[in-house]
Amino acid sequence: MEGLIQLGVFALLLGLGFFFGRRAEAKHYKSIFAREDELRHIVVSTDRFPPTQFMTHHGELVSGNVVISVDYFKRVSAALRALVGGRIRSYETLLDRARREALLRMQEQARSAGAEAIINTKFETSRISGGSSKGIGSIEVLAYGTALTPQAAQIKGQ
């Protein structure tokens, strides 16, 4: 009987993790899509040097940082997937949301500085341990680059 109760609690936690995790993820993606449309005018590139039309712009470091936690369902799903191998889609969506959110935060910082483009964009990713189990508790993504601001906008901002 005790085993059935433990199994029931596990199934309940799994179901709650699935429901609330999906809901939070859908809400976050909705926010990401809206903000990506809003910031689409800011050119983001990994090029080290500015294109010719931005050669007279001023360069300034901008960054965006985010920490996203893994929900209980994703942990269980990933553990089950690890038994048989293959892609762990639950972690792929987690990383996708974190990268896009960090990029958006960097773009928002560039927009507030009056920038028209960001070059030399780079990402740093780190894992924040999930306690004694050494599993993934949360991930941190940092996006940074050089925002290019027109000289006139820079003079206005000073």
Side-chain angles (χ1 to χ4, degrees):
M1 184 66 181
E2 190 174 311
L4 282 176
I5 291 173
Q6 288 178 348
L7 186 61
V9 169
F10 175 74
L12 178 67
L13 289 175
L14 196 61
L16 288 173
F18 177 76
F19 176 74
F20 287 109
R22 284 279 198 178
R23 192 170 150 197
E25 189 172 277
K27 185 178 175 183
H28 190 210
Y29 266 122
K30 186 176 178 181
S31 166
I32 286 171
F33 295 146
R35 291 165 43 221
E36 282 177 343
D37 284 342
E38 184 181 315
L39 294 168
R40 199 170 302 279
H41 67 281
I42 297 176
V43 178
V44 178
S45 166
T46 57
D47 295 339
R48 292 181 63 200
F49 300 104
T52 54
Q53 69 264 31
F54 297 115
M55 291 303 276
T56 59
H57 286 52
H58 170 73
E60 175 182 336
L61 178 68
V62 289
S63 65
N65 188 27
V66 67
V67 176
I68 295 184
S69 178
V70 179
D71 62 59
Y72 190 75
F73 176 76
K74 287 184 192 270
R75 287 182 193 177
V76 172
S77 173
L80 292 174
R81 177 54 90 175
L83 292 174
V84 294
R87 293 175 55 188
I88 302 175
R89 292 192 180 152
S90 56
Y91 284 168
E92 287 178 349
T93 59
L94 182 77
L95 286 168
D96 179 55
R97 286 190 303 135
R99 275 193 299 264
R100 292 169 88 164
E101 180 66 36
L103 196 60
L104 282 169
R105 290 180 183 186
M106 180 182 71
Q107 286 179 291
E108 288 167 349
Q109 186 180 2
R111 178 179 59 186
S112 67
E116 295 177 346
I118 302 170
I119 60 167
N120 203 17
T121 302
K122 297 191 178 350
F123 289 97
E124 297 287 333
T125 305
S126 65
R127 175 180 68 118
I128 299 173
S129 178
S132 60
S133 65
K134 296 186 179 180
I136 295 176
S138 302
I139 59 164
E140 176 189 23
V141 175
L142 169 68
Y144 59 96
T146 304
L148 300 176
T149 309
Q151 295 293 340
Q154 186 201 5
I155 292 170
K156 275 185 187 174
Q158 288 180 351

